[in-house]
RNA sequence: AGCCCCUUAGCUCAGCAGGGAGAGCGCCUGUCUUACAAACAGGAGGCCGCUGGUUCGAGACCAGCAGGGGCUACCA
């Protein structure tokens, strides 16, 4: 790689585009990103949270991946065998939904027009496009992933892990099929998990209906009132419930309210009191009738379900709250979670599913409602009940309605057969791992959410009625008894005969007996089937019985171990089984990511070497969805956690404090940021903002592509397809542009000025490096002896040692902002503002030049290495140039520099270089320099006019300051006249007072005396204020007695300093007044 | 409803073993000083959300309140 270091090759501004273009391919070609197990070295591994292929990366991904790359690059430099495993996620529902939507928009086709394979082919195309875009984005950011190992959650390697895991869980009965109420997306026609549902308030109504009582006895009500927000569900009602002990329930509710009233803030008290009054009213007015209803329920009263003319029972159940509504509640087990629970307690009431998968009403409702959508059925039901005069009341009400995150349509609770994973033991294992510290979550507070969520141990519904995903490896069908021998066949025949007889002749004992026989036969036949399957296929298949009780054959689910396609074919062709249509929830494959990417279930050398990985870096919203599931799957599959630490980083918010999302339109493409500011600035800027507790708020602007001016992004304009620039009046397009005429306009990038700090910093570094490179000709490597060092050399080396220590420690603990700020401050305020300034003179001097060059090259070298993880491109660019001029460098023992900064060793702190005395001396120098500059500025002395100054101070300070004399001249244009206890103030001077130091700048003929007097008076007042505060503190007996002695001593000294300063200031005022 | 985070200069944020408030941007005044105007040298600007408590001493610790954001759950 040829690099020129001549000045013409070093522009005044850092050219980020050129550096990125030059160095990323170089790193890749050199194979620096690739890792292979190396028993001699310790491994360090991170698996990327695979971005999903639904869309391109946004700023949140940029943050996530920057933080990973920073650690990876540091660890690589520290000598670990470092692997960053990259890949992408297929994101089942999200991706299919996106592709289907486009298909409809652009070609007016539905997925059914294409068929399963056709649609899946389309989605693969989409995946290929977006994966390429995502990988390109990561590369542009400088991510040092091991691209040779790129995985996709739906590729063959990951599929193998999925199949293996599924088979094992299926065989243990941890995966089962069950009827459960699921969140049904009627648009996509699939179940979605709770995590894929969001709630949004919509305007609705609260209808009160009345159901007639069948044959009410005298004194009993003829109707019972119930209420609902979803009238159409009444068609699926199977009961109405009333509380078994309404009196006690009211009492309980009141007790709870009184408890809260006692603790409530004043503001909420009236409301609570109102609720208590309401309960009392109910006790008076409603309790007797509720108790009557309860008695009716006990005697088995029935109600007539209007419109259907079905009879449904009145039942006792605690779900009916006497303090709410009429005290009675309709029970629709197939369409409401709570009602479902009621059904579980009262199995006899049954459940009626009234919906087709597409959200229309099915054959279980009266003819006239069949085929209607929920919305139209609702209108019809309300109208018909109204006509029957059964509508008691209609209220307007805001309803918090569940919506599918994927299709944005309302969710219908729906009773369906689903595949589940039993979470009891699996969840516990993942909880234990965090509780006992095998997995450490950082920051710690996030462990709570993890444990709470897992603690519920809710079974995980893993089936999705989609086409894009891992198809469930289960075949279902019915074996004929012919296959299982004569004995079973006989039994079947006899049982069938007995059942025939049952119809004619019905003594109850016999029916009971028959049922038992049937159950026994059912078991036997399944055992026979399992044995048969085992005989045929050994342990390559596992079977479960399939709900349903036909006696004509044995209904089974058969799961096939991966790698036995011939068995799969045989199941289909010989036995007539069919494969389950459903695919698995995306998180199933994501949960295996740390294992599947390393080749599990094969015992690969990678798995043995890198697993468990070191850390997982992710955002807080998928702790439960993903992190928890990876832990439990890791423990289940290999008995070992997938990573030792989990670092949860902040979220990126917009200027209004809202999370960035595609749907809100406030997302930012990192490419926009990189085009404008460069990848280094993006990375450093993000790291600089990554503090422990604070999310990153990032107000963004549109950049007009015509005039380059910025336009603030608002809630209003962020969703517009085009925007008119308010500066130049021309239009540009945004991410929302879809119409061809809009898309034809140039696109306005979305950027944030929050990256300016980092951009400026990069430029500062570039120029400091540029200075160094321009002054290194004739560089001669060699050891630098301690007594050759100037004060500024020792100071810089001392600071460098401390900074090295702090940065390493901060990154080790994921304190990215601390690391970035430490480096920023050091590089700018110390290295650039002082060291580079001070070394200038020596570089011009033939004698001093050599040592100065050696220290400068060394310091730059270390600084670059410390910055490399955050700013990879710039540091490599400078490193390469530095390598041309100073291929061997270092002040202890010059060594050849690594061919790339990527492969250079991480700096180590040399405690021998840390020198508090030198740092204190330097601090004195900086203070004096600052006040001299301050006086020049406030007296409006032009920078080029030389000034003279004296410093009155103790001999010790004078001695410290003596070697710094030349620098006052070069850095402040100030000539030191006299340092020491005997230094005197010139007649006309401006002064400044520091603890134990007085500085006088001789300003004869230049000074604005009155302004100076006024300033000094203000200073005196300020000092007097501090003195008063200190005196008060020291006269406080409590302080003097109880505060630590050293603190008291410090205060005393501080007071003395202040008093001295005040005296000095007063003298100056006197002298100036006299000179007036 | 429960839990978590935030509230410090006009803006975005640091500061937290409790010991006289900081940075960047913006603003004001100077400066093309031989690495850097994306810079340099200065400056102005803060009852550290409010109320109590702990302490000799609170921006920091505790409690309550107010406002902002988020997560979880529920609402016939």
């Amino acid at each position: 790689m040829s690099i020129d270091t001549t000045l013409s090759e070093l522009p005044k501004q850092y050219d980020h585009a050129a550096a990125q273009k030059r160095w990323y391919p170089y790193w890749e070609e050199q194979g620096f990103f690739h890792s292979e197990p190396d028993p001699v070295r310790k491994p360090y591994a991170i698996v990327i949270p695979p971005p999903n292929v639904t869309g391109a990366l946004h700023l949140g991904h940029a943050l996530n991946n920057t933080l990973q790359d920073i650690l990876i690059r540091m660890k690589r430099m520290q000598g670990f065998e470092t692997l960053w495993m990259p890949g992408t996620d297929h994101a089942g529902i999200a991706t299919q939904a996106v592709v289907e939507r486009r298909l409809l928009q652009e070609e007016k086709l539905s997925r059914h027009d294409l068929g399963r394979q056709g649609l899946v082919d389309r989605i693969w195309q989409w995946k290929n496009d977006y994966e390429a875009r995502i990988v390109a984005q990561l590369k542009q950011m400088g991510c040092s992933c091991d691209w040779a190992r790129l995985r996709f959650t739906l590729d063959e390697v990951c599929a193998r892990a999925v199949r293996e895991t599924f088979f094992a869980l299926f065989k243990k009965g941890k995966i089962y099929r069950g009827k459960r109420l699921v969140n049904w997306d009627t648009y996509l026609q699939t179940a979605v998990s709770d995590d894929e549902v969001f709630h949004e308030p919509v305007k609705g109504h609260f209808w009160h209906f009345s159901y007639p009582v069948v044959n009410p006895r005298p004194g009993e009500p003829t109707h019972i009132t119930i209420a609902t927000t979803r009238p159409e569900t009444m068609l699926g009602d199977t009961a109405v419930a009333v509380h078994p002990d309404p009196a006690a329930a009211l009492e309980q509710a009141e007790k709870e309210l009184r408890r809260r009233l006692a603790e409530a803030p004043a503001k909420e008290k009236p409301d609570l009191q109102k609720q208590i009054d309401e309960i009392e009213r109910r006790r008076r007015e409603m309790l007797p009738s509720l108790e009557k209803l309860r008695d009716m329920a006990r005697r088995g009263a029935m109600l007539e379900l209007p419109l259907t003319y079905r009879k449904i029972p009145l039942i006792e159940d605690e779900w009916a709250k006497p303090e709410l509504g009429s005290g009675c509640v309709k029970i629709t087990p197939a369409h409401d979670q709570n009602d479902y629970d009621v059904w579980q307690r009262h199995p006899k009431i049954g459940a009626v599913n009234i919906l087709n998968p597409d959200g229309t009403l099915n054959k279980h409702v009266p003819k006239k409602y069949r085929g209607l959508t929920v919305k139209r059925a609702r209108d019809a039901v309300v109208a018909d009940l109204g006509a029957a005069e059964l509508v008691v009341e209609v209220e307007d009400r805001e309803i918090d309605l569940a919506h599918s995150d994927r299709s944005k349509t309302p969710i219908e609770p729906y009773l369906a057969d689903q595949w589940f994973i039993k979470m009891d033991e699996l969840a516990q294992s993942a909880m234990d791992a965090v509780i006992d510290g095998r997995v450490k979550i950082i920051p710690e507070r996030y462990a709570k959410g993890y444990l709470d969520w897992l603690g519920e141990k809710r079974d995980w519904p893993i089936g999705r009625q989609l086409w894009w995903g891992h198809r469930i490896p289960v075949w279902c069908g019915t074996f004929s008894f012919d296959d299982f021998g004569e004995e079973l066949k006989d039994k079947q025949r006899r049982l069938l005969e007995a059942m025939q007889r049952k119809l004619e002749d019905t003594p109850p004992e016999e029916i009971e007996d028959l049922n038992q026989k049937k159950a026994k036969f059912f078991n036997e036949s399944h055992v026979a089937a399992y044995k048969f399957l085992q005989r045929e296929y050994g342990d390559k298949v596992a079977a479960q019985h399939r709900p349903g009780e036909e006696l004509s054959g044995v209904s089974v689910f058969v799961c096939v171990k991966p790698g036995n396609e011939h068995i799969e074919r045989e199941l289909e062709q010989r036995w007539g089984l069919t494969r389950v249509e459903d695919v698995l929830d995306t998180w199933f494959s994501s949960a295996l990511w740390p294992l599947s990417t390393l080749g599990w279930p094969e015992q690969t050398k990678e798995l043995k070497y890198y697993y468990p990985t070191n850390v997982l870096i992710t955002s807080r919203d998928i702790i439960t969805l993903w992190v928890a599931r990876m832990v439990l799957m890791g423990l289940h599959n290999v008995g070992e956690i997938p990573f030792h630490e989990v670092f949860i980083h902040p979220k990126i918010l917009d200027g209004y404090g809202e999370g960035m999302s595609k749907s809100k339109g406030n997302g930012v493409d990192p490419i926009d940021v990189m085009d404008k500011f460069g990848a280094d600035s993006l990375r450093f800027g993000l790291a600089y903002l990554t503090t422990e507790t604070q999310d990153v708020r990032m107000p963004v602007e549109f950049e007009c592509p015509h005039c380059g001016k910025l336009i603030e992004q608002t809630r209003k304009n962020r969703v517009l397809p085009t925007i008119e620039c308010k500066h130049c009046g021309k239009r540009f397009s945004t991410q929302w542009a879809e119409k061809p005429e809009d898309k034809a306009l140039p696109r306005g990038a979305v950027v944030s000025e929050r990256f300016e700090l980092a951009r400026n910093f990069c430029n500062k570094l570039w120029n400091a490096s540029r200075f160094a490179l321009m002054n290194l000709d004739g560089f001669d490597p060699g050891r630098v002896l301690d007594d050759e060092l100037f004060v500024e050399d020792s100071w810089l080396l001392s600071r460098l040692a401390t900074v090295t220590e702090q940065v390493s420690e901060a990154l080790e603990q994921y304190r990215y902002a601390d690391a970035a700020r430490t480096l920023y401050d050091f590089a700018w305020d110390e290295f650039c503002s002082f060291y580079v300034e001070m070394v200038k003179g020596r570089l011009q001097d033939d004698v001093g030049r050599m040592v100065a060059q050696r220290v400068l090259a060394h310091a730059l070298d270390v600084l670059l290495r410390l910055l490399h993880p955050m700013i990879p491109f710039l540091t490599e660019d400078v490193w390469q140039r530095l390598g041309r001029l100073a291929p061997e460098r270092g002040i202890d023992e010059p060594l050849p520099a690594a061919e790339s900064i990527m492969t250079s060793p991480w700096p180590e702190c040399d405690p021998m270089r840390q020198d508090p005395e030198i740092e204190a001396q330097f601090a004195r120098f900086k203070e004096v320099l600052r006040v001299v500059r301050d006086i020049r500025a406030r007296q409006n002395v032009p920078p080029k006019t030389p000034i003279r100054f004296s410093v009155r101070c103790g001999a010790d300070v004078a001695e410290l300051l003596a070697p710094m004399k030349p620098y006052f001249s070069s850095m402040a244009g100030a000539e030191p006249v006299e340092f020491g206890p005997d230094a005197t103030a010139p007649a006309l001077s401006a002064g400044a007072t520091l603890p134990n130091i007085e500085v006088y700048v001789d300003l004869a003929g230049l000074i604005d005396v009155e302004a100076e007097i006024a300033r000094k008076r203000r200073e005196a007042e300020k000092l007097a204020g501090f003195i008063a505060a200190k005196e008060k503190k020291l006269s406080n007996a409590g302080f003097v007695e109880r505060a630590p002695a050293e603190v008291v001593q410090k205060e005393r000294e501080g007071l003395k300093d202040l008093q001295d300063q005040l005296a000095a200031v007063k003298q100056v005022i006197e002298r100036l007044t006299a000179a007036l």
Side-chain angles (χ1 to χ4, degrees):
Chain A
M1 186 74 33
S2 106
I3 283 280
D4 213 329
T5 45
T6 59
L7 197 51
S8 62
E9 271 291 305
L10 293 171
K12 283 188 170 192
Q13 284 184 8
Y14 169 51
D15 182 353
H16 55 256
Q20 287 164 224
K21 214 171 120 188
R22 179 180 287 151
W23 298 117
Y24 200 86
Y26 165 72
W27 293 329
E28 262 199 297
E29 282 157 21
Q30 296 296 309
F32 292 155
F33 301 162
H34 187 62
S35 177
E36 284 291 335
D38 175 357
V40 177
R41 300 208 288 170
K42 284 177 79 174
Y44 186 90
I46 295 179
V47 293
I48 200 170
N52 79 51
V53 293
T54 312
L57 303 185
H58 55 68
L59 221 44
H61 294 108
L63 172 64
N64 176 256
N65 289 294
T66 293
L67 300 185
Q68 293 175 71
D69 198 37
I70 288 171
L71 281 185
I72 285 287
R73 284 180 183 269
M74 175 177 76
K75 290 293 171 181
R76 196 182 283 122
M77 291 170 75
Q78 286 175 343
F80 290 88
E81 182 56 52
T82 305
L83 170 66
W84 186 8
M85 176 69 75
T88 52
D89 183 84
H90 69 282
I93 296 184
T95 313
Q96 179 167 333
V98 159
V99 173
E100 276 192 71
R101 200 178 314 140
R102 270 176 72 117
L103 196 62
L104 188 65
Q105 271 169 11
E106 292 176 4
E107 301 171 51
K108 307 267 178 271
L109 293 175
S110 82
R111 67 175 178 211
H112 302 288
D113 296 323
L114 291 184
R116 184 162 187 151
Q117 197 51 49
L119 182 80
V120 168
D121 287 345
R122 292 293 189 102
I123 307 176
W124 272 104
Q125 282 171 26
W126 175 279
K127 174 262 171 184
N128 289 334
D129 289 353
Y130 274 88
E131 183 183 71
R133 266 182 74 174
I134 288 166
V135 169
Q137 282 177 307
L138 290 172
K139 287 184 173 182
Q140 199 171 340
M141 284 168 50
C143 293
S144 57
C145 304
D146 189 349
W147 297 113
R149 299 184 185 276
L150 182 70
R151 289 256 72 82
F152 176 54
T153 51
L154 209 49
D155 66 22
E156 332 72 58
V157 174
C158 293
R160 177 73 205 278
V162 165
R163 295 266 323 239
E164 190 78 18
T165 304
F166 191 99
F167 184 78
L169 290 168
F170 183 92
K171 196 169 180 181
K172 289 179 195 163
K174 288 279 174 199
I175 284 180
Y176 66 93
R177 179 115 166 137
K179 243 193 200 341
R180 286 294 172 85
L181 210 54
V182 294
N183 302 303
W184 191 259
D185 182 326
T186 57
Y187 181 82
L188 295 168
Q189 299 194 26
T190 177
V192 295
S193 72
D194 291 343
D195 317 304
E196 293 163 313
V197 169
F198 66 96
H199 294 259
E200 202 172 74
V202 296
K203 280 195 180 137
H205 303 284
F206 197 42
W207 282 274
H208 300 255
F209 299 141
S210 102
Y211 290 178
V213 177
V214 177
N215 301 325
R217 290 180 185 170
E220 289 180 353
T222 59
H223 288 78
I224 289 177
T225 304
I226 52 88
T228 180
T229 56
R230 296 186 295 152
E232 73 286 355
T233 61
M234 61 84 60
L235 297 171
D237 284 359
T238 58
V240 168
V242 62
H243 198 281
D245 187 353
L250 283 173
E251 187 118 341
Q252 184 59 39
E254 184 179 346
K255 229 167 105 185
E256 172 63 16
L257 281 169
R258 290 207 181 275
R259 188 189 61 76
R260 277 173 51 198
L261 182 67
E263 293 171 3
K267 206 184 70 174
E268 289 171 21
K269 281 187 196 282
D271 188 51
L272 287 167
Q273 187 57 51
K274 231 172 93 184
Q275 290 181 49
I276 291 171
D277 295 345
E278 168 65 11
I279 285 187
E280 277 168 8
R281 187 188 68 77
R282 281 172 174 268
R283 189 175 289 137
R284 280 195 313 274
E285 297 173 12
M286 294 175 63
L287 187 53
S289 75
L290 285 173
E291 284 178 335
K292 181 162 284 173
L293 290 169
R294 186 264 323 271
D295 295 340
M296 288 166 69
R298 284 191 184 161
R299 78 159 167 85
M302 302 294 280
L303 309 174
E304 185 179 304
L305 185 63
L307 310 183
T308 68
Y309 306 104
R310 290 201 334 255
K311 306 243 187 308
I312 58 172
L314 182 65
I315 60 169
E316 293 176 87
D317 192 277
E318 295 187 354
W319 168 237
K321 305 283 181 228
E323 67 272 22
L324 291 174
S326 69
C328 294
V329 57
K330 68 196 265 305
I331 304 299
T332 323
H335 299 284
D336 183 282
Q337 182 59 52
N338 293 301
D339 296 0
Y340 175 87
D341 295 340
V342 173
W343 175 38
Q344 297 305 299
R345 292 192 286 270
H346 305 266
K348 293 211 162 103
I349 66 174
V352 177
N353 182 355
I354 62 166
L355 288 178
N356 290 314
D358 64 357
T360 59
L361 270 61
N362 66 18
K363 62 182 183 184
H364 297 128
V365 302
K367 268 203 181 106
K368 69 171 294 193
Y369 305 111
R370 289 180 199 165
L372 298 183
T373 61
V374 163
K375 196 173 167 307
R376 291 181 54 203
R378 179 171 300 177
D379 295 342
V381 164
V382 169
D384 293 347
L385 286 172
E389 297 190 350
L390 292 170
V391 177
V392 181
E393 194 191 348
V394 185
E395 296 173 53
D396 287 335
R397 183 187 261 213
E398 197 157 85
I399 298 157
D400 198 27
L401 192 61
H403 288 73
S404 167
D405 198 32
R406 305 308 175 188
S407 65
K408 315 296 175 199
T409 56
I411 285 291
E412 295 295 336
Y414 183 77
L415 193 62
D417 283 318
Q418 282 296 333
W419 293 96
F420 289 91
I421 294 186
K422 231 190 209 353
M423 288 294 273
D424 48 5
E425 288 168 23
L426 292 173
Q428 189 60 48
S429 71
M431 290 172 75
D432 292 344
V434 164
I435 291 168
D436 65 26
R438 272 173 293 155
V439 175
K440 194 172 158 209
I441 297 180
I442 302 159
E444 226 175 320
R445 70 189 126 96
Y446 291 112
K448 190 177 183 308
Y450 172 98
L451 293 173
D452 287 351
W453 185 83
L454 280 172
E456 293 191 24
K457 300 187 178 172
R458 285 206 250 185
D459 287 354
W460 172 16
I462 49 170
R464 293 292 182 277
Q465 289 66 46
L466 298 171
W467 292 346
W468 177 241
H470 291 281
R471 192 162 168 184
I472 289 180
V474 169
W475 281 257
C476 66
T478 304
F479 282 97
S480 156
F481 291 107
D482 297 343
D483 303 319
F484 305 143
E486 286 305 315
E487 191 187 344
L488 210 57
K489 229 176 134 182
D490 272 357
K491 275 192 184 172
Q492 177 215 18
R493 201 175 51 238
R494 285 201 301 273
L495 202 57
L496 282 172
E497 281 166 13
M499 288 178 71
Q500 287 281 316
R501 279 202 305 276
K502 186 192 90 175
L503 293 174
E504 297 139 27
D505 179 17
T506 54
E509 321 83 61
E510 254 180 60
I511 291 186
E512 188 54 33
D513 181 51
L514 199 60
N515 282 339
Q516 277 181 17
K517 275 190 180 147
K518 205 167 113 188
K520 204 172 149 213
F521 175 73
F522 192 68
N523 275 338
E524 269 177 43
S525 62
H526 279 96
V527 169
Y530 301 160
K531 275 189 181 155
F532 168 77
L533 283 166
Q534 200 180 16
R535 211 164 44 235
E536 291 282 316
Y537 304 114
D539 60 1
K540 294 191 171 65
V541 300
Q544 289 182 13
H545 76 81
R546 184 175 164 211
E549 286 197 29
E550 311 90 310
L551 289 177
S552 53
V554 189
S555 261
V556 288
F557 288 120
V558 182
C559 184
V560 182
K561 210 173 178 177
N564 295 290
E565 286 77 13
H566 61 288
I567 297 179
E568 298 172 9
R569 274 198 305 279
E570 206 171 294
L571 288 176
E572 290 173 11
Q573 287 162 13
R574 184 164 158 205
W575 308 109
L577 270 56
T578 52
R579 186 167 182 177
V580 167
E581 293 280 325
D582 297 2
V583 301
L584 287 166
D585 180 10
T586 305
W587 296 111
F588 191 102
S589 50
S590 313
L592 303 172
W593 190 241
L595 289 167
S596 58
T597 50
L598 293 172
W600 183 88
E602 298 299 325
Q603 289 302 312
T604 59
K605 61 185 197 305
E606 284 84 357
L607 187 70
K608 286 180 198 142
Y609 187 69
Y610 298 111
Y611 192 95
T613 63
N614 293 74
V615 63
L616 179 82
I617 298 186
T618 190
S619 162
R620 73 175 93 96
D621 33 13
I622 50 176
I623 295 173
T624 52
L625 294 180
W626 189 46
V627 179
R629 286 168 182 166
M630 277 191 283
V631 175
L632 63 87
M633 286 295 202
L635 289 168
H636 173 267
N637 284 343
V638 300
E640 176 65 282
I641 51 160
F643 27 70
H644 297 289
E645 295 187 332
V646 179
F647 175 65
I648 306 294
H649 59 71
K651 288 189 67 170
I652 300 208
L653 310 176
D654 68 7
Y656 301 101
E658 299 175 23
M660 284 190 176
S661 75
K662 274 211 148 143
S663 54
K664 277 184 192 157
N666 56 358
V668 177
D669 187 340
I671 301 270
D672 285 352
V673 177
M674 285 189 281
D675 282 349
K676 188 173 165 72
F677 298 106
D680 291 317
S681 303
L682 173 77
R683 296 168 60 111
F684 189 81
L686 290 170
Y688 192 88
L689 295 169
T690 302
T691 56
E692 192 200 297
T693 55
Q694 186 86 4
D695 282 337
V696 177
R697 190 177 294 214
M698 185 152 314
V700 295
E701 299 95 30
F702 292 103
E703 188 176 55
C704 173
H706 305 289
C707 67
K709 294 232 172 85
L710 298 177
I711 300 145
E712 196 190 342
Q713 188 183 71
T714 61
R715 284 195 173 96
K716 227 179 215 175
N717 71 15
R718 74 189 185 192
V719 291
L720 300 176
T722 67
I723 291 172
E724 186 185 292
C725 174
K726 63 182 175 189
H727 303 287
C728 68
K730 290 183 189 157
R731 290 205 150 269
F732 59 87
S733 65
T734 71
Q735 59 167 324
W736 298 99
E738 284 192 353
K739 287 187 263 176
E741 64 265 35
D742 290 347
K743 275 189 162 167
L745 293 167
R747 201 176 78 88
V750 177
V751 296
S752 175
E753 60 183 26
R754 296 210 65 188
F755 291 102
E756 282 175 12
L757 170 128
R759 189 257 327 255
N760 294 354
F761 178 60
C762 288
N763 200 45
K764 186 73 181 175
L765 276 173
W766 173 255
N767 277 295
S769 306
R770 182 168 176 262
F771 169 83
L773 295 170
M774 283 160 56
N775 283 284
L776 283 181
D777 37 285
F779 180 82
D780 172 29
R783 177 195 285 269
V784 178
L785 302 173
D786 284 358
D787 59 10
E788 289 179 303
L789 294 173
F790 281 52
V791 174
E792 64 269 26
D793 295 332
S794 306
W795 165 77
L796 185 78
L797 295 170
S798 173
R799 291 289 306 130
L800 199 53
T802 303
V803 164
T804 299
E805 188 178 29
Q806 288 171 343
V807 169
S808 306
E809 203 178 295
L811 289 180
E812 212 64 66
Q813 297 168 2
Y814 311 104
R815 289 185 289 110
Y816 292 92
D818 282 350
R821 284 162 210 250
T822 299
L823 284 165
Y824 181 97
D825 293 343
F826 171 74
W828 201 309
D829 298 338
E830 300 187 304
F831 182 68
C832 291
S833 294
F834 281 89
Y835 189 74
V836 168
E837 288 304 323
M838 294 170 80
V839 86
K840 276 178 182 171
R842 291 160 61 198
L843 289 167
Q844 303 303 317
D845 169 51
D846 287 342
V847 183
R849 187 173 167 83
M850 195 170 71
V851 169
Q853 281 183 329
R854 286 173 182 172
V855 177
L856 179 63
H858 168 74
L860 181 62
D861 172 296
V862 174
L863 180 59
L864 289 172
R865 283 185 280 146
L866 289 172
L867 282 164
H868 178 256
M870 295 186 197
I871 304 178
F873 294 108
L874 187 152
T875 50
E876 180 73 288
D877 206 67
V878 176
W879 182 270
Q880 296 292 338
R881 296 172 197 272
L882 184 59
R884 308 274 295 183
L885 292 161
E888 286 182 26
R889 51 191 186 256
I891 52 168
D892 291 328
E893 192 60 57
L895 293 167
E899 64 168 314
S900 163
I901 192 167
M902 264 194 78
T903 57
S904 68
W906 184 252
E908 277 180 42
C909 165
D910 179 359
M912 297 301 288
R913 293 286 179 195
Q914 288 176 310
D915 186 342
E917 269 182 44
I918 284 280
E919 292 197 26
Q921 175 178 3
F922 210 81
R924 290 292 193 185
F925 160 68
K926 282 166 84 172
E927 283 171 38
V928 173
L929 185 73
R930 184 177 56 77
V931 300
V932 171
R933 284 168 162 177
D934 176 21
I935 292 167
R936 172 192 286 280
R938 73 183 194 231
Q939 286 295 332
N940 286 323
V941 181
K944 281 185 174 159
T945 306
I947 50 177
R948 293 154 55 82
F949 76 106
S950 297
V951 176
R952 180 148 69 199
C953 58
D956 51 338
V957 176
E959 198 182 325
L960 288 174
L961 287 177
M964 315 309 282
K965 278 183 179 174
Y967 302 123
F968 287 106
S969 161
S970 65
M971 295 173 76
E975 239 15 84
V977 178
E978 195 178 5
F979 292 171
D982 305 323
T984 51
L988 250 184
S989 67
T993 317
L994 296 164
N996 294 324
I997 300 176
E998 288 157 46
V999 181
Y1000 303 104
V1001 176
D1002 184 352
L1003 291 169
L1006 296 168
I1007 193 169
D1008 179 344
V1009 178
E1010 282 181 40
E1012 189 63 13
I1013 290 172
R1015 171 179 292 280
K1016 286 285 138 189
R1017 290 208 166 118
R1018 280 203 299 276
E1019 196 178 330
E1021 270 172 45
K1022 205 169 156 190
L1023 285 167
F1026 286 149
I1027 288 168
K1030 277 235 187 319
E1031 281 173 339
K1032 193 178 155 204
K1033 192 182 244 185
L1034 283 164
S1035 64
N1036 179 342
F1039 173 70
V1040 178
E1041 285 162 20
R1042 307 175 77 159
E1046 51 187 47
V1047 172
V1048 176
Q1049 183 56 26
K1050 217 178 113 195
E1051 288 297 301
R1052 291 219 168 93
E1053 282 166 16
L1055 179 61
K1056 170 92 175 33
D1057 281 350
L1058 287 167
Q1059 284 165 338
D1060 290 350
Q1061 284 181 53
L1062 181 60
V1065 169
K1066 280 182 173 162
Q1067 266 187 23
V1068 170
I1069 294 172
E1070 273 171 36
R1071 209 170 41 245
L1072 287 170
T1073 314
L1076 256 181

